[in-house]
Amino acid sequence: MHRSFIAAGVFLLAAACAKPQPPETGFEADFENDNKSWREIEAQMPAYPRGENLVPIPTGTATSHRFLIDPQSLALGEDGVMRYTVVAKAAGGAVNVSFEGIRCETRERKVYAIGHRDGTWVRARNAQWQRIVLRDLTPYSHTLYHQFFCNERTRPNPPRVALEALRRGRGLNPGAATDD
């Protein structure tokens, strides 16, 4: 009996020292598997945007800046990333141009390149995926994600549908102003 008591103690001690593994639910396991198998395609730089083609992104009155999207650049890649060129016009006259992507599945955005006045692109130095949040310095990203590109949250809308909604100035998901 003494040996079985010692064996039981050793077993309990070993079990207590083992690293606990969180239980995997079906959703978490599927999400992990999907993320491991996802591969981003190499983004091809679009033509530089032309002012007469730009479509406003309705971001509300939270900022005096204006944000516009180049409809010629709007494309959905085989990797599920919606890519586009955005032109940001500050109230003081400054203009910034960037080529970006939104991944609906993970609610992230990435800046691929920055535009120069001479119509050329320079690849972004730190092109990393970043979470889209409402209180960000880029309110258009939140608007594009919730209202035009990803209203189903798991897969992007077709570019044609998103562009038609942008041209109408009304999102496809009018009640989505939260930062969930």
Side-chain angles (χ1 to χ4, degrees), residues 45 84 86 97-102 109-115 122-130 138 140-141:
M45 295 300 125
Y84 56 94
V86 67
V97 178
S98 57
F99 175 55
E100 305 180 3
I102 287 181
R109 75 181 269 269
K110 182 178 190 176
V111 176
Y112 292 100
I114 306 299
V122 152
R123 292 230 180 238
R125 284 185 225 152
N126 189 19
Q128 300 294 319
W129 288 102
Q130 297 176 347
T138 56
Y140 65 87
S141 299

Side-chain angles (χ1 to χ4, degrees), residues 23-95:
E24 282 192 1
T25 63
F27 172 78
E28 290 163 341
D30 289 345
F31 183 76
E32 287 298 317
N33 290 336
D34 288 346
N35 279 339
K36 288 178 185 173
S37 64
W38 181 76
R39 294 224 191 285
E40 182 176 11
I41 63 171
E42 185 170 342
Q44 301 300 312
M45 295 300 125
Y48 203 80
R50 298 171 50 119
E52 66 270 12
N53 295 334
L54 301 177
V55 176
I57 303 169
T59 56
T61 58
T63 178
S64 58
H65 303 323
R66 291 183 50 222
F67 301 98
L68 305 113
I69 196 166
D70 177 16
Q72 305 300 318
S73 68
L74 188 60
L76 179 59
E78 290 179 20
D79 55 3
V81 175
M82 185 77 85
R83 292 181 178 85
Y84 56 94
T85 300
V86 67
V87 176
K89 294 185 176 187
V95 176

Side-chain angles (χ1 to χ4, degrees), residues 69-170:
I69 196 166
D70 177 16
Q72 305 300 318
S73 68
L74 188 60
L76 179 59
E78 290 179 20
D79 55 3
V81 175
M82 185 77 85
R83 292 181 178 85
Y84 56 94
T85 300
V86 67
V87 176
K89 294 185 176 187
V95 176
N96 292 309
V97 178
S98 57
F99 175 55
E100 305 180 3
I102 287 181
R103 187 169 176 219
C104 295
E105 186 177 16
T106 58
R107 190 177 169 187
E108 294 174 306
R109 75 181 269 269
K110 182 178 190 176
V111 176
Y112 292 100
I114 306 299
H116 285 271
R117 286 185 180 180
D118 64 0
T120 60
W121 293 105
V122 152
R123 292 230 180 238
R125 284 185 225 152
N126 189 19
Q128 300 294 319
W129 288 102
Q130 297 176 347
R131 182 96 168 137
I132 296 171
V133 293
L134 181 59
R135 293 176 283 291
D136 196 353
L137 296 175
T138 56
Y140 65 87
S141 299
H142 188 271
T143 300
L144 289 173
Y145 172 82
H146 279 288
Q147 302 290 329
F148 298 98
F149 293 171
C150 311
N151 65 318
E152 287 189 31
R153 310 268 171 100
T154 55
R155 65 175 185 255
N157 293 317
R160 173 188 51 76
V161 171
L163 187 56
E164 286 172 9
L166 277 163
R167 285 189 170 130
R168 283 192 315 268
R170 289 195 327 234

